[in-house]
């Protein structure tokens, strides 16, 4: 439990805040993030949150919070929370729909992808301000020659691949990207025990909808349970 040093007799004590007054990031009118921390609400203690709005196919880019765990609660729509377990070296997929949560341990790489329009997620942190390290910052700031040498890559091809990344992405694909802003083919599905039909994407967690429900919590096309998706189909394809 947080230890409070707040002087609750002070006239500056705050008990209310409107998150719409603190926009953290905006991609467009349907994809943006509001933030709340102790700087906005001084009685908050060691907690904070991000108020995340996404449309189908948009993704909070791969990142870590080095100072906080993250509890993601789905208010509306549907999303898949992807987490890299650093101990088992596998990608864990956690589909969430309204009323469901997914938890990301502190310091683990993860990303969230909306599988429906009007998706609203609440990310709750056990730190007064969640620190954020984005993979896009590594890609655009790490010297290409060092990366190419370390991983035995073609330096020219690597430079060309990362050239469009000129800023921290936060919500991708970037607004000026046309490659994935188009309908994607549906993946092959399989039937399991005469129940609902889902694609076979390796390890999954959480409860799936019952037969007849239409909520789209399918795992995005291209993931397996063999760790990061190196060399496989694009993880950004949607059913």
């Amino acid at each position: 439990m947080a230890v409070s040093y707040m002087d609750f007799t002070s006239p500056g004590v705050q008990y209310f805040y409107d998150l719409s007054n603190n926009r953290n990031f905006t991609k467009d009118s349907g994809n943006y993030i509001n933030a709340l921390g102790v700087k906005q609400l001084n009685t908050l203690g060691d907690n904070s949150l991000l108020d995340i709005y996404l449309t189908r196919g948009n993704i909070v880019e791969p990142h870590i919070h080095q100072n906080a765990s993250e509890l993601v609660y789905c208010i509306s729509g549907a999303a898949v929370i992807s987490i890299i377990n650093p101990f088992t070296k596998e990608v864990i997929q956690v589909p969430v729909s309204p009323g469901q949560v997914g938890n990301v341990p502190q310091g683990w790489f993860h990303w969230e992808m909306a599988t429906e329009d009007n998706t609203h997620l609440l990310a709750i942190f056990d730190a007064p301000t969640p620190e954020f390290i984005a993979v896009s910052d590594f890609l655009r700031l790490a010297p290409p020659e060092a990366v190419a040498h370390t991983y035995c890559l073609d330096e020219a091809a690597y430079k060309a691949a990362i050239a469009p990344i000129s800023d921290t992405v936060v919500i991708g694909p970037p607004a000026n990207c046309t490659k994935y802003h188009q309908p994607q083919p549906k993946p092959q599905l399989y039937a399991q025990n005469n129940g609902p039909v889902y694609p076979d994407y390796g390890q999954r967690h959480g409860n799936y909808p019952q037969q007849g429900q239409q909520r789209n919590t399918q795992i995005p096309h291209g993931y397996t349970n063999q760790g990061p998706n190196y060399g496989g189909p694009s993880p950004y394809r949607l059913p």
Side-chain angles (χ1 to χ4, degrees):
M1 186 174 71
V3 177
S4 175
Y5 299 99
M6 170 63 62
D7 177 5
F8 286 96
T9 66
S10 168
V13 172
Q14 301 168 326
Y15 301 102
F16 169 83
Y17 188 79
D18 185 342
L19 269 72
S20 64
N21 292 327
N22 190 37
R23 180 65 56 87
N24 178 265
F25 179 83
T26 302
K27 174 182 174 179
D28 53 39
S29 61
N31 297 277
Y32 57 90
I33 301 173
N34 299 322
L36 176 69
V38 71
K39 292 182 180 179
Q40 290 75 45
L41 189 62
N42 59 19
T43 56
L44 194 59
D46 290 335
N47 299 286
S48 53
L49 62 83
L50 296 176
D51 194 31
I52 304 169
Y53 294 83
L54 299 170
T55 57
R56 183 176 185 265
N58 280 270
I59 178 172
V60 179
E61 71 161 310
H63 62 281
I64 67 169
H65 304 289
Q66 67 271 36
N67 70 327
S69 299
E70 178 180 353
L71 184 67
V72 182
Y73 175 74
C74 183
I75 297 172
S76 64
V80 175
I81 306 163
S82 300
I83 308 166
I84 295 180
N85 185 323
F87 300 99
T88 63
K89 310 300 183 184
E90 63 185 356
V91 176
I92 299 171
Q93 310 295 337
V94 184
V96 291
S97 54
Q100 298 178 336
V101 300
N103 190 57
V104 181
Q106 179 177 338
W108 288 22
F109 279 105
H110 62 285
W111 55 99
E112 296 93 359
M113 183 178 191
T115 53
E116 289 188 5
D117 286 331
N118 301 311
T119 291
H120 185 189
L121 305 174
L122 199 63
I124 305 164
F125 303 91
D126 54 356
T129 302
E131 297 171 356
F132 173 86
I133 298 178
V135 169
S136 61
D137 283 343
F138 171 82
L139 293 174
R140 69 188 182 89
L141 297 174
E145 61 274 14
V147 176
H149 175 73
T150 301
Y151 301 108
C152 194
L153 304 175
D154 181 286
E155 184 176 337
Y158 177 72
K159 285 182 177 179
I162 65 172
I165 307 174
S166 60
D167 202 351
T168 310
V169 172
V170 185
I171 297 177
N176 61 355
C177 174
T178 59
K179 186 174 183 179
Y180 294 113
H181 291 171
Q182 54 188 319
Q184 298 292 332
K186 291 186 177 182
Q188 295 295 318
L189 304 178
Y190 76 101
Q192 183 177 14
N193 298 328
N194 298 319
V197 176
Y198 300 101
D200 185 8
Y201 295 124
Q203 185 173 358
R204 295 180 291 271
H205 291 253
N207 295 322
Y208 291 104
Q210 298 300 312
Q211 186 72 28
Q213 290 183 320
Q214 299 299 314
R215 185 161 299 282
N216 182 10
T217 52
Q218 295 170 336
I219 304 301
H221 183 55
Y223 289 109
T224 70
N225 63 349
Q226 300 300 313
N229 189 45
Y230 299 129
S234 168
Y236 301 109
R237 295 179 182 172
L238 285 171

PDB file of all heavy atoms in Angstrom, residues 32-34 49-54 60 70-81 96-97 100 112-114 118-124:
ATOM      1  N   TYR A  32      -6.242   7.228 -29.755  1.00  0.00           N
ATOM      2  CA  TYR A  32      -5.554   8.192 -28.901  1.00  0.00           C
ATOM      3  C   TYR A  32      -5.497   7.660 -27.466  1.00  0.00           C
ATOM      4  O   TYR A  32      -6.179   6.686 -27.117  1.00  0.00           O
ATOM      5  CB  TYR A  32      -6.240   9.554 -28.948  1.00  0.00           C
ATOM      6  CG  TYR A  32      -7.699   9.562 -28.559  1.00  0.00           C
ATOM      7  CD1 TYR A  32      -8.096   9.766 -27.239  1.00  0.00           C
ATOM      8  CD2 TYR A  32      -8.690   9.361 -29.518  1.00  0.00           C
ATOM      9  CE1 TYR A  32      -9.433   9.776 -26.883  1.00  0.00           C
ATOM     10  CE2 TYR A  32     -10.024   9.371 -29.179  1.00  0.00           C
ATOM     11  CZ  TYR A  32     -10.396   9.583 -27.851  1.00  0.00           C
ATOM     12  OH  TYR A  32     -11.723   9.582 -27.500  1.00  0.00           O
ATOM     13  N   ILE A  33      -4.676   8.317 -26.667  1.00  0.00           N
ATOM     14  CA  ILE A  33      -4.471   7.894 -25.283  1.00  0.00           C
ATOM     15  C   ILE A  33      -4.513   9.116 -24.366  1.00  0.00           C
ATOM     16  O   ILE A  33      -3.818  10.111 -24.609  1.00  0.00           O
ATOM     17  CB  ILE A  33      -3.110   7.177 -25.119  1.00  0.00           C
ATOM     18  CG1 ILE A  33      -3.028   5.953 -26.030  1.00  0.00           C
ATOM     19  CG2 ILE A  33      -2.886   6.763 -23.664  1.00  0.00           C
ATOM     20  CD1 ILE A  33      -1.650   5.293 -26.049  1.00  0.00           C
ATOM     21  N   ASN A  34      -5.317   9.021 -23.314  1.00  0.00           N
ATOM     22  CA  ASN A  34      -5.303   9.997 -22.231  1.00  0.00           C
ATOM     23  C   ASN A  34      -4.571   9.393 -21.034  1.00  0.00           C
ATOM     24  O   ASN A  34      -4.556   8.173 -20.873  1.00  0.00           O
ATOM     25  CB  ASN A  34      -6.726  10.388 -21.816  1.00  0.00           C
ATOM     26  CG  ASN A  34      -7.498  11.022 -22.954  1.00  0.00           C
ATOM     27  OD1 ASN A  34      -6.947  11.788 -23.741  1.00  0.00           O
ATOM     28  ND2 ASN A  34      -8.788  10.712 -23.047  1.00  0.00           N
ATOM     29  N   LEU A  49      -2.873   5.560 -14.636  1.00  0.00           N
ATOM     30  CA  LEU A  49      -3.577   4.820 -15.676  1.00  0.00           C
ATOM     31  C   LEU A  49      -3.468   5.529 -17.013  1.00  0.00           C
ATOM     32  O   LEU A  49      -3.221   6.734 -17.092  1.00  0.00           O
ATOM     33  CB  LEU A  49      -5.039   4.586 -15.302  1.00  0.00           C
ATOM     34  CG  LEU A  49      -5.978   5.776 -15.088  1.00  0.00           C
ATOM     35  CD1 LEU A  49      -6.545   6.289 -16.413  1.00  0.00           C
ATOM     36  CD2 LEU A  49      -7.133   5.380 -14.170  1.00  0.00           C
ATOM     37  N   LEU A  50      -3.664   4.735 -18.063  1.00  0.00           N
ATOM     38  CA  LEU A  50      -3.787   5.236 -19.423  1.00  0.00           C
ATOM     39  C   LEU A  50      -5.162   4.853 -19.946  1.00  0.00           C
ATOM     40  O   LEU A  50      -5.597   3.702 -19.804  1.00  0.00           O
ATOM     41  CB  LEU A  50      -2.700   4.657 -20.333  1.00  0.00           C
ATOM     42  CG  LEU A  50      -1.255   5.040 -20.001  1.00  0.00           C
ATOM     43  CD1 LEU A  50      -0.289   4.314 -20.941  1.00  0.00           C
ATOM     44  CD2 LEU A  50      -1.050   6.544 -20.087  1.00  0.00           C
ATOM     45  N   ASP A  51      -5.840   5.812 -20.547  1.00  0.00           N
ATOM     46  CA  ASP A  51      -7.176   5.643 -21.100  1.00  0.00           C
ATOM     47  C   ASP A  51      -7.006   5.524 -22.607  1.00  0.00           C
ATOM     48  O   ASP A  51      -6.735   6.515 -23.286  1.00  0.00           O
ATOM     49  CB  ASP A  51      -8.007   6.863 -20.719  1.00  0.00           C
ATOM     50  CG  ASP A  51      -9.486   6.681 -20.944  1.00  0.00           C
ATOM     51  OD1 ASP A  51      -9.975   5.545 -20.837  1.00  0.00           O
ATOM     52  OD2 ASP A  51     -10.164   7.696 -21.212  1.00  0.00           O
ATOM     53  N   ILE A  52      -7.139   4.302 -23.148  1.00  0.00           N
ATOM     54  CA  ILE A  52      -6.711   3.993 -24.516  1.00  0.00           C
ATOM     55  C   ILE A  52      -7.918   3.749 -25.415  1.00  0.00           C
ATOM     56  O   ILE A  52      -8.782   2.926 -25.102  1.00  0.00           O
ATOM     57  CB  ILE A  52      -5.803   2.750 -24.525  1.00  0.00           C
ATOM     58  CG1 ILE A  52      -4.598   2.966 -23.590  1.00  0.00           C
ATOM     59  CG2 ILE A  52      -5.349   2.426 -25.938  1.00  0.00           C
ATOM     60  CD1 ILE A  52      -3.804   1.702 -23.326  1.00  0.00           C
ATOM     61  N   TYR A  53      -7.952   4.442 -26.540  1.00  0.00           N
ATOM     62  CA  TYR A  53      -9.016   4.275 -27.532  1.00  0.00           C
ATOM     63  C   TYR A  53      -8.388   3.815 -28.846  1.00  0.00           C
ATOM     64  O   TYR A  53      -7.442   4.439 -29.348  1.00  0.00           O
ATOM     65  CB  TYR A  53      -9.766   5.589 -27.755  1.00  0.00           C
ATOM     66  CG  TYR A  53     -10.534   6.054 -26.543  1.00  0.00           C
ATOM     67  CD1 TYR A  53      -9.896   6.763 -25.527  1.00  0.00           C
ATOM     68  CD2 TYR A  53     -11.899   5.792 -26.416  1.00  0.00           C
ATOM     69  CE1 TYR A  53     -10.593   7.193 -24.406  1.00  0.00           C
ATOM     70  CE2 TYR A  53     -12.603   6.224 -25.298  1.00  0.00           C
ATOM     71  CZ  TYR A  53     -11.947   6.925 -24.300  1.00  0.00           C
ATOM     72  OH  TYR A  53     -12.633   7.345 -23.190  1.00  0.00           O
ATOM     73  N   LEU A  54      -8.924   2.720 -29.418  1.00  0.00           N
ATOM     74  CA  LEU A  54      -8.361   2.147 -30.633  1.00  0.00           C
ATOM     75  C   LEU A  54      -9.469   1.723 -31.590  1.00  0.00           C
ATOM     76  O   LEU A  54     -10.547   1.300 -31.163  1.00  0.00           O
ATOM     77  CB  LEU A  54      -7.507   0.913 -30.312  1.00  0.00           C
ATOM     78  CG  LEU A  54      -6.291   1.093 -29.400  1.00  0.00           C
ATOM     79  CD1 LEU A  54      -5.729  -0.267 -29.008  1.00  0.00           C
ATOM     80  CD2 LEU A  54      -5.230   1.945 -30.070  1.00  0.00           C
ATOM     81  N   VAL A  60      -1.097  -0.631 -29.909  1.00  0.00           N
ATOM     82  CA  VAL A  60      -0.145   0.073 -29.054  1.00  0.00           C
ATOM     83  C   VAL A  60       1.180  -0.656 -29.215  1.00  0.00           C
ATOM     84  O   VAL A  60       1.296  -1.837 -28.899  1.00  0.00           O
ATOM     85  CB  VAL A  60      -0.595   0.074 -27.583  1.00  0.00           C
ATOM     86  CG1 VAL A  60       0.443   0.787 -26.712  1.00  0.00           C
ATOM     87  CG2 VAL A  60      -1.961   0.751 -27.436  1.00  0.00           C
ATOM     88  N   GLU A  70       1.352  -3.772 -15.428  1.00  0.00           N
ATOM     89  CA  GLU A  70       0.213  -3.165 -16.117  1.00  0.00           C
ATOM     90  C   GLU A  70      -0.972  -4.121 -16.131  1.00  0.00           C
ATOM     91  O   GLU A  70      -0.857  -5.253 -16.592  1.00  0.00           O
ATOM     92  CB  GLU A  70       0.601  -2.792 -17.555  1.00  0.00           C
ATOM     93  CG  GLU A  70      -0.532  -2.211 -18.368  1.00  0.00           C
ATOM     94  CD  GLU A  70      -0.102  -1.845 -19.787  1.00  0.00           C
ATOM     95  OE1 GLU A  70       1.115  -1.921 -20.076  1.00  0.00           O
ATOM     96  OE2 GLU A  70      -0.977  -1.502 -20.612  1.00  0.00           O
ATOM     97  N   LEU A  71      -2.089  -3.655 -15.637  1.00  0.00           N
ATOM     98  CA  LEU A  71      -3.341  -4.400 -15.672  1.00  0.00           C
ATOM     99  C   LEU A  71      -4.234  -3.742 -16.710  1.00  0.00           C
ATOM    100  O   LEU A  71      -4.589  -2.565 -16.583  1.00  0.00           O
ATOM    101  CB  LEU A  71      -4.015  -4.394 -14.306  1.00  0.00           C
ATOM    102  CG  LEU A  71      -5.303  -5.217 -14.172  1.00  0.00           C
ATOM    103  CD1 LEU A  71      -4.998  -6.706 -14.299  1.00  0.00           C
ATOM    104  CD2 LEU A  71      -5.978  -4.922 -12.833  1.00  0.00           C
ATOM    105  N   VAL A  72      -4.580  -4.490 -17.774  1.00  0.00           N
ATOM    106  CA  VAL A  72      -5.357  -3.932 -18.874  1.00  0.00           C
ATOM    107  C   VAL A  72      -6.799  -4.423 -18.758  1.00  0.00           C
ATOM    108  O   VAL A  72      -7.065  -5.625 -18.833  1.00  0.00           O
ATOM    109  CB  VAL A  72      -4.764  -4.332 -20.234  1.00  0.00           C
ATOM    110  CG1 VAL A  72      -5.564  -3.686 -21.369  1.00  0.00           C
ATOM    111  CG2 VAL A  72      -3.295  -3.924 -20.318  1.00  0.00           C
ATOM    112  N   TYR A  73      -7.719  -3.481 -18.602  1.00  0.00           N
ATOM    113  CA  TYR A  73      -9.150  -3.788 -18.481  1.00  0.00           C
ATOM    114  C   TYR A  73      -9.865  -3.328 -19.749  1.00  0.00           C
ATOM    115  O   TYR A  73      -9.695  -2.184 -20.187  1.00  0.00           O
ATOM    116  CB  TYR A  73      -9.739  -3.079 -17.263  1.00  0.00           C
ATOM    117  CG  TYR A  73     -11.230  -3.238 -17.113  1.00  0.00           C
ATOM    118  CD1 TYR A  73     -11.774  -4.451 -16.677  1.00  0.00           C
ATOM    119  CD2 TYR A  73     -12.102  -2.193 -17.403  1.00  0.00           C
ATOM    120  CE1 TYR A  73     -13.147  -4.604 -16.536  1.00  0.00           C
ATOM    121  CE2 TYR A  73     -13.473  -2.337 -17.263  1.00  0.00           C
ATOM    122  CZ  TYR A  73     -13.987  -3.538 -16.829  1.00  0.00           C
ATOM    123  OH  TYR A  73     -15.353  -3.690 -16.692  1.00  0.00           O
ATOM    124  N   CYS A  74     -10.646  -4.218 -20.342  1.00  0.00           N
ATOM    125  CA  CYS A  74     -11.390  -3.894 -21.560  1.00  0.00           C
ATOM    126  C   CYS A  74     -12.766  -3.350 -21.193  1.00  0.00           C
ATOM    127  O   CYS A  74     -13.575  -4.031 -20.545  1.00  0.00           O
ATOM    128  CB  CYS A  74     -11.529  -5.130 -22.449  1.00  0.00           C
ATOM    129  SG  CYS A  74     -12.362  -4.797 -24.017  1.00  0.00           S
ATOM    130  N   ILE A  75     -13.028  -2.119 -21.605  1.00  0.00           N
ATOM    131  CA  ILE A  75     -14.314  -1.476 -21.346  1.00  0.00           C
ATOM    132  C   ILE A  75     -15.285  -1.745 -22.487  1.00  0.00           C
ATOM    133  O   ILE A  75     -16.456  -2.066 -22.266  1.00  0.00           O
ATOM    134  CB  ILE A  75     -14.119   0.040 -21.140  1.00  0.00           C
ATOM    135  CG1 ILE A  75     -13.252   0.295 -19.894  1.00  0.00           C
ATOM    136  CG2 ILE A  75     -15.458   0.757 -21.014  1.00  0.00           C
ATOM    137  CD1 ILE A  75     -12.849   1.744 -19.719  1.00  0.00           C
ATOM    138  N   SER A  76     -14.806  -1.626 -23.719  1.00  0.00           N
ATOM    139  CA  SER A  76     -15.653  -1.891 -24.886  1.00  0.00           C
ATOM    140  C   SER A  76     -14.785  -2.386 -26.033  1.00  0.00           C
ATOM    141  O   SER A  76     -13.559  -2.249 -26.006  1.00  0.00           O
ATOM    142  CB  SER A  76     -16.423  -0.629 -25.300  1.00  0.00           C
ATOM    143  OG  SER A  76     -15.531   0.392 -25.714  1.00  0.00           O
ATOM    144  N   GLY A  77     -15.444  -2.961 -27.043  1.00  0.00           N
ATOM    145  CA  GLY A  77     -14.709  -3.516 -28.168  1.00  0.00           C
ATOM    146  C   GLY A  77     -14.025  -4.817 -27.791  1.00  0.00           C
ATOM    147  O   GLY A  77     -14.526  -5.598 -26.977  1.00  0.00           O
ATOM    148  N   ALA A  78     -12.862  -5.072 -28.363  1.00  0.00           N
ATOM    149  CA  ALA A  78     -12.098  -6.291 -28.088  1.00  0.00           C
ATOM    150  C   ALA A  78     -10.655  -6.063 -28.509  1.00  0.00           C
ATOM    151  O   ALA A  78     -10.371  -5.290 -29.426  1.00  0.00           O
ATOM    152  CB  ALA A  78     -12.681  -7.489 -28.830  1.00  0.00           C
ATOM    153  N   ALA A  79      -9.745  -6.752 -27.834  1.00  0.00           N
ATOM    154  CA  ALA A  79      -8.317  -6.594 -28.137  1.00  0.00           C
ATOM    155  C   ALA A  79      -7.580  -7.873 -27.794  1.00  0.00           C
ATOM    156  O   ALA A  79      -8.090  -8.735 -27.074  1.00  0.00           O
ATOM    157  CB  ALA A  79      -7.731  -5.409 -27.363  1.00  0.00           C
ATOM    158  N   VAL A  80      -6.373  -7.982 -28.319  1.00  0.00           N
ATOM    159  CA  VAL A  80      -5.466  -9.059 -27.945  1.00  0.00           C
ATOM    160  C   VAL A  80      -4.218  -8.419 -27.346  1.00  0.00           C
ATOM    161  O   VAL A  80      -3.572  -7.584 -27.986  1.00  0.00           O
ATOM    162  CB  VAL A  80      -5.084  -9.942 -29.148  1.00  0.00           C
ATOM    163  CG1 VAL A  80      -4.037 -10.974 -28.742  1.00  0.00           C
ATOM    164  CG2 VAL A  80      -6.313 -10.637 -29.700  1.00  0.00           C
ATOM    165  N   ILE A  81      -3.912  -8.795 -26.104  1.00  0.00           N
ATOM    166  CA  ILE A  81      -2.701  -8.345 -25.429  1.00  0.00           C
ATOM    167  C   ILE A  81      -1.641  -9.418 -25.665  1.00  0.00           C
ATOM    168  O   ILE A  81      -1.849 -10.585 -25.346  1.00  0.00           O
ATOM    169  CB  ILE A  81      -2.943  -8.158 -23.928  1.00  0.00           C
ATOM    170  CG1 ILE A  81      -4.126  -7.229 -23.683  1.00  0.00           C
ATOM    171  CG2 ILE A  81      -1.676  -7.640 -23.238  1.00  0.00           C
ATOM    172  CD1 ILE A  81      -4.673  -7.308 -22.273  1.00  0.00           C
ATOM    173  N   VAL A  96      -9.073 -10.114 -24.821  1.00  0.00           N
ATOM    174  CA  VAL A  96      -9.972  -9.544 -23.813  1.00  0.00           C
ATOM    175  C   VAL A  96     -11.158  -8.892 -24.502  1.00  0.00           C
ATOM    176  O   VAL A  96     -11.029  -8.294 -25.571  1.00  0.00           O
ATOM    177  CB  VAL A  96      -9.255  -8.513 -22.909  1.00  0.00           C
ATOM    178  CG1 VAL A  96      -8.232  -9.197 -22.013  1.00  0.00           C
ATOM    179  CG2 VAL A  96      -8.589  -7.407 -23.719  1.00  0.00           C
ATOM    180  N   SER A  97     -12.312  -9.009 -23.883  1.00  0.00           N
ATOM    181  CA  SER A  97     -13.531  -8.344 -24.295  1.00  0.00           C
ATOM    182  C   SER A  97     -14.105  -7.660 -23.049  1.00  0.00           C
ATOM    183  O   SER A  97     -13.546  -7.799 -21.957  1.00  0.00           O
ATOM    184  CB  SER A  97     -14.508  -9.348 -24.908  1.00  0.00           C
ATOM    185  OG  SER A  97     -14.743 -10.419 -24.020  1.00  0.00           O
ATOM    186  N   GLN A 100     -13.219  -8.094 -19.038  1.00  0.00           N
ATOM    187  CA  GLN A 100     -12.076  -8.981 -18.864  1.00  0.00           C
ATOM    188  C   GLN A 100     -10.779  -8.182 -18.761  1.00  0.00           C
ATOM    189  O   GLN A 100     -10.684  -7.057 -19.253  1.00  0.00           O
ATOM    190  CB  GLN A 100     -11.985  -9.970 -20.033  1.00  0.00           C
ATOM    191  CG  GLN A 100     -13.193 -10.876 -20.142  1.00  0.00           C
ATOM    192  CD  GLN A 100     -13.110 -11.822 -21.334  1.00  0.00           C
ATOM    193  OE1 GLN A 100     -12.420 -11.553 -22.314  1.00  0.00           O
ATOM    194  NE2 GLN A 100     -13.836 -12.927 -21.251  1.00  0.00           N
ATOM    195  N   GLU A 112      -0.668  -4.188 -27.448  1.00  0.00           N
ATOM    196  CA  GLU A 112      -2.111  -4.409 -27.465  1.00  0.00           C
ATOM    197  C   GLU A 112      -2.661  -4.059 -28.846  1.00  0.00           C
ATOM    198  O   GLU A 112      -2.381  -2.988 -29.369  1.00  0.00           O
ATOM    199  CB  GLU A 112      -2.824  -3.559 -26.408  1.00  0.00           C
ATOM    200  CG  GLU A 112      -2.452  -3.896 -24.969  1.00  0.00           C
ATOM    201  CD  GLU A 112      -1.317  -3.040 -24.423  1.00  0.00           C
ATOM    202  OE1 GLU A 112      -0.802  -2.181 -25.177  1.00  0.00           O
ATOM    203  OE2 GLU A 112      -0.943  -3.215 -23.246  1.00  0.00           O
ATOM    204  N   MET A 113      -3.469  -4.963 -29.381  1.00  0.00           N
ATOM    205  CA  MET A 113      -4.040  -4.755 -30.714  1.00  0.00           C
ATOM    206  C   MET A 113      -5.562  -4.856 -30.663  1.00  0.00           C
ATOM    207  O   MET A 113      -6.113  -5.824 -30.133  1.00  0.00           O
ATOM    208  CB  MET A 113      -3.498  -5.798 -31.686  1.00  0.00           C
ATOM    209  CG  MET A 113      -3.971  -5.617 -33.119  1.00  0.00           C
ATOM    210  SD  MET A 113      -3.228  -6.883 -34.182  1.00  0.00           S
ATOM    211  CE  MET A 113      -3.680  -6.232 -35.790  1.00  0.00           C
ATOM    212  N   ALA A 114      -6.238  -3.843 -31.193  1.00  0.00           N
ATOM    213  CA  ALA A 114      -7.704  -3.859 -31.245  1.00  0.00           C
ATOM    214  C   ALA A 114      -8.181  -4.775 -32.352  1.00  0.00           C
ATOM    215  O   ALA A 114      -7.698  -4.703 -33.482  1.00  0.00           O
ATOM    216  CB  ALA A 114      -8.237  -2.454 -31.461  1.00  0.00           C
ATOM    217  N   ASN A 118     -14.013   0.891 -32.055  1.00  0.00           N
ATOM    218  CA  ASN A 118     -14.497   1.452 -30.792  1.00  0.00           C
ATOM    219  C   ASN A 118     -14.013   0.659 -29.582  1.00  0.00           C
ATOM    220  O   ASN A 118     -14.754   0.456 -28.614  1.00  0.00           O
ATOM    221  CB  ASN A 118     -16.025   1.539 -30.787  1.00  0.00           C
ATOM    222  CG  ASN A 118     -16.558   2.390 -31.920  1.00  0.00           C
ATOM    223  OD1 ASN A 118     -16.090   3.511 -32.134  1.00  0.00           O
ATOM    224  ND2 ASN A 118     -17.511   1.858 -32.671  1.00  0.00           N
ATOM    225  N   THR A 119     -12.769   0.200 -29.645  1.00  0.00           N
ATOM    226  CA  THR A 119     -12.183  -0.495 -28.502  1.00  0.00           C
ATOM    227  C   THR A 119     -11.682   0.528 -27.489  1.00  0.00           C
ATOM    228  O   THR A 119     -11.001   1.499 -27.845  1.00  0.00           O
ATOM    229  CB  THR A 119     -11.030  -1.415 -28.955  1.00  0.00           C
ATOM    230  OG1 THR A 119     -11.591  -2.505 -29.700  1.00  0.00           O
ATOM    231  CG2 THR A 119     -10.260  -1.978 -27.772  1.00  0.00           C
ATOM    232  N   HIS A 120     -12.036   0.292 -26.240  1.00  0.00           N
ATOM    233  CA  HIS A 120     -11.659   1.192 -25.145  1.00  0.00           C
ATOM    234  C   HIS A 120     -11.012   0.350 -24.054  1.00  0.00           C
ATOM    235  O   HIS A 120     -11.649  -0.532 -23.481  1.00  0.00           O
ATOM    236  CB  HIS A 120     -12.899   1.909 -24.616  1.00  0.00           C
ATOM    237  CG  HIS A 120     -12.611   2.943 -23.575  1.00  0.00           C
ATOM    238  ND1 HIS A 120     -13.615   3.567 -22.854  1.00  0.00           N
ATOM    239  CD2 HIS A 120     -11.440   3.470 -23.103  1.00  0.00           C
ATOM    240  CE1 HIS A 120     -13.073   4.425 -22.002  1.00  0.00           C
ATOM    241  NE2 HIS A 120     -11.751   4.374 -22.141  1.00  0.00           N
ATOM    242  N   LEU A 121      -9.737   0.616 -23.787  1.00  0.00           N
ATOM    243  CA  LEU A 121      -8.983  -0.118 -22.775  1.00  0.00           C
ATOM    244  C   LEU A 121      -8.529   0.829 -21.679  1.00  0.00           C
ATOM    245  O   LEU A 121      -8.201   1.992 -21.941  1.00  0.00           O
ATOM    246  CB  LEU A 121      -7.746  -0.787 -23.405  1.00  0.00           C
ATOM    247  CG  LEU A 121      -7.968  -1.708 -24.596  1.00  0.00           C
ATOM    248  CD1 LEU A 121      -6.630  -2.149 -25.169  1.00  0.00           C
ATOM    249  CD2 LEU A 121      -8.816  -2.910 -24.211  1.00  0.00           C
ATOM    250  N   LEU A 122      -8.495   0.310 -20.473  1.00  0.00           N
ATOM    251  CA  LEU A 122      -7.966   1.061 -19.334  1.00  0.00           C
ATOM    252  C   LEU A 122      -6.737   0.316 -18.827  1.00  0.00           C
ATOM    253  O   LEU A 122      -6.838  -0.825 -18.378  1.00  0.00           O
ATOM    254  CB  LEU A 122      -9.018   1.160 -18.230  1.00  0.00           C
ATOM    255  CG  LEU A 122      -8.811   2.256 -17.180  1.00  0.00           C
ATOM    256  CD1 LEU A 122      -8.861   3.629 -17.821  1.00  0.00           C
ATOM    257  CD2 LEU A 122      -9.862   2.137 -16.089  1.00  0.00           C
ATOM    258  N   ALA A 123      -5.566   0.940 -18.937  1.00  0.00           N
ATOM    259  CA  ALA A 123      -4.320   0.341 -18.472  1.00  0.00           C
ATOM    260  C   ALA A 123      -3.951   0.950 -17.123  1.00  0.00           C
ATOM    261  O   ALA A 123      -3.725   2.160 -17.022  1.00  0.00           O
ATOM    262  CB  ALA A 123      -3.209   0.585 -19.487  1.00  0.00           C
ATOM    263  N   ILE A 124      -3.894   0.099 -16.102  1.00  0.00           N
ATOM    264  CA  ILE A 124      -3.686   0.551 -14.728  1.00  0.00           C
ATOM    265  C   ILE A 124      -2.302   0.119 -14.265  1.00  0.00           C
ATOM    266  O   ILE A 124      -1.919  -1.045 -14.433  1.00  0.00           O
ATOM    267  CB  ILE A 124      -4.768  -0.039 -13.803  1.00  0.00           C
ATOM    268  CG1 ILE A 124      -6.168   0.312 -14.349  1.00  0.00           C
ATOM    269  CG2 ILE A 124      -4.596   0.465 -12.372  1.00  0.00           C
ATOM    270  CD1 ILE A 124      -7.275  -0.508 -13.751  1.00  0.00           C
TER     271      ILE A 124
END
